[in-house]
Amino acid sequence: MVKGKIDEIHGWAAMKPGIDVERWSYKPRPIGEHDVEIKIDFTGICGSDLHTIKDEWNGTSYPVIVGHEIVGKVVTKGDKVTEFNEGDIVGVGAQCYADLKKDCHACSNNLDPHCPNMVSTYNSKYADGAQAQGGYSEAIRVDANYAFKIPSSIDPAHAAPLMCAGTTVFAPMLRNGVKKGDRVGVVGIGGLGHLAIQYAKALGAEVVAFSHSPNKRDECLKLGASKFVDTSNKKDIDAIRHSLTYLFITSSSKHNNYEEFITWMDFEGQVVLLAIPEGKLSFSPFDLILSEVAITGSMIGGVNIVKEALEFAAKHNIRPIIERYPLDDVNAALKHVDEGKARYRVVLTH
């Protein structure tokens, strides 16, 4: 068995519900023959990180080191890892293990995030009971299938948000075949939304950006939206009703009105949830039947989709707009994100 270079991993963990994290270290699992050990250089702050450390989704196992938008360098590899060499720049997203076997229904259908033995990058347990810890730390060990080479044309700091935010918005576009001629709406112009605009535009769609912040108008148009809709402006809203092929919801705001969203859709349009709102959705079955609109959701992307998301971003110059914070200032960074001030993704530098 290969011995790792970092026997004790130092990071920043949440010890109880809240937005504060503190220094903490743990002994990582042994490096398996299919694993890689990565020295982390950059980690993006995802909304899931805050939901987890605040225990808003319930089930957080403390202490927990969050962070699943990770980019760093391979420093050790298992005996059977052939696709990486030490020094390779790689990324890790929201998943660090799945069976990837042909007899797994999910994995064989390119849906490995739904594998029954799937392990998330943090707040998740391996079969041996060890808890996975994430990227607000100096290093991480993962199955090599869930480490992805970063294209040389993408700056590593900008690659970090593509590992979760970029992949999450691209996955349902890819699965649904978003194409030229489609009219795609994006609700919530934040970490996910500003990337969703770019991916949809690059796929050839006409993009409509929705936000209650009029000061984001110019940025949205620059990112590729052909139209900006101020959701507080009734005239703007009335002008787009019954016109969208897809509507991607990247905001988890409790003020989201799904009955209203349905009226924006063309017949057989799809409303796709990419964020988890509080409580339950409220709409009448008649809203769906009379409009023939579908409401669906999408999880993270699996192995093949992560690879495609990175390759597509490299080819079409899709990049997140980031703010950088040193890892030692992680608590200030978390507060900044929690207050909704990030423009548009905070990346921790290690």
Side-chain angles (χ1 to χ4, degrees):
M1 182 179 290
V2 173
K3 180 176 172 56
K5 293 183 172 62
I6 304 170
D7 293 329
E8 184 173 10
I9 294 178
H10 301 277
W12 292 80
M15 300 302 202
K16 59 184 179 182
I19 64 166
D20 292 327
V21 293
E22 59 187 74
R23 293 181 187 276
W24 182 71
S25 61
Y26 70 98
K27 295 283 188 183
R29 298 170 73 248
I31 296 176
E33 57 188 9
H34 297 288
D35 294 342
V36 289
E37 181 178 52
I38 301 163
K39 179 75 171 63
I40 300 173
D41 295 315
F42 302 101
T43 305
I45 294 182
C46 179
S48 301
D49 300 350
L50 285 159
H51 288 303
T52 299
I53 64 176
K54 292 194 281 186
D55 198 25
E56 291 179 334
W57 291 340
N58 301 317
T60 299
S61 180
Y62 300 96
V64 59
I65 296 176
V66 295
H68 57 206
E69 295 185 337
I70 300 165
V71 172
K73 298 181 184 69
V74 174
V75 293
T76 312
K77 62 178 187 175
D79 290 329
K80 292 190 177 179
V81 175
T82 59
E83 63 268 41
F84 298 115
N85 294 308
E86 291 186 15
D88 284 349
I89 299 174
V90 298
V92 176
Q95 182 175 358
C96 61
Y97 178 79
D99 288 340
L100 298 179
K101 295 178 179 177
K102 291 181 179 179
D103 60 356
C104 172
H105 176 66
C107 294
S108 62
N109 282 284
N110 207 25
L111 291 167
D112 40 296
H114 299 277
C115 173
N117 294 314
M118 176 266 207
V119 179
S120 298
T121 303
Y122 60 73
N123 198 44
S124 185
K125 293 189 183 297
Y126 286 92
D128 61 8
Q131 178 162 319
Q133 301 289 356
Y136 295 9
S137 59
E138 63 180 323
I140 191 168
R141 296 177 179 179
V142 301
D143 184 292
N145 287 300
Y146 289 93
F148 302 89
K149 284 187 178 179
I150 302 301
S152 59
S153 61
I154 303 179
D155 178 270
H158 287 88
L162 299 178
M163 300 311 303
C164 177
T167 299
T168 296
V169 300
F170 189 55
M173 295 181 189
L174 199 61
R175 293 189 192 113
N176 286 296
V178 171
K179 63 189 182 305
K180 184 176 181 180
D182 289 338
R183 202 173 195 208
V184 171
V186 178
V187 171
I189 312 304
L192 273 69
H194 88 290
L195 287 167
I197 291 172
Q198 295 180 69
Y199 274 106
K201 172 69 173 177
L203 285 166
E206 178 187 351
V207 184
V208 182
F210 294 84
S211 177
H212 65 271
S213 303
N215 61 358
K216 292 183 179 179
R217 179 186 301 271
D218 290 346
E219 194 98 70
C220 288
L221 297 177
K222 191 184 300 182
L223 288 167
S226 57
K227 186 175 181 63
F228 178 89
V229 174
D230 178 351
T231 53
S232 64
N233 186 317
K234 185 177 184 300
K235 186 177 179 182
D236 276 7
I237 292 294
D238 287 343
I240 55 83
R241 291 194 195 281
H242 312 299
S243 69
L244 301 178
T245 317
Y246 299 98
L247 182 65
F248 294 100
I249 312 298
T250 71
S251 159
S252 59
S253 171
K254 62 183 178 183
H255 302 296
N256 284 345
N257 184 333
Y258 287 82
E259 289 182 329
E260 175 71 15
F261 292 163
I262 291 168
T263 71
W264 301 353
M265 309 306 298
D266 196 356
F267 295 117
E268 298 185 335
Q270 282 194 36
V271 179
V272 185
L273 276 73
L274 300 178
I276 302 176
E278 296 178 25
K280 297 183 179 181
L281 305 187
S282 177
F283 51 84
S284 165
F286 282 104
D287 295 332
L288 301 183
I289 292 170
L290 296 178
S291 64
E292 300 199 20
V293 168
I295 295 182
T296 184
S298 179
M299 242 176 102
I300 57 174
V303 167
N304 292 330
I305 288 179
V306 176
K307 290 176 181 177
E308 287 197 58
L310 289 170
E311 291 168 2
F312 193 84
K315 180 178 179 180
H316 294 278
N317 198 32
I318 295 169
R319 302 290 187 274
I321 297 171
I322 66 172
E323 299 177 84
R324 303 181 193 224
Y325 278 73
L327 181 59
D328 286 350
D329 292 340
V330 59
N331 282 308
L334 286 167
K335 182 180 179 183
H336 185 66
V337 175
D338 192 50
E339 292 175 348
K341 295 178 179 178
R343 293 293 183 271
Y344 285 95
R345 205 61 157 185
V346 168
V347 174
L348 301 170
T349 59
H350 295 237

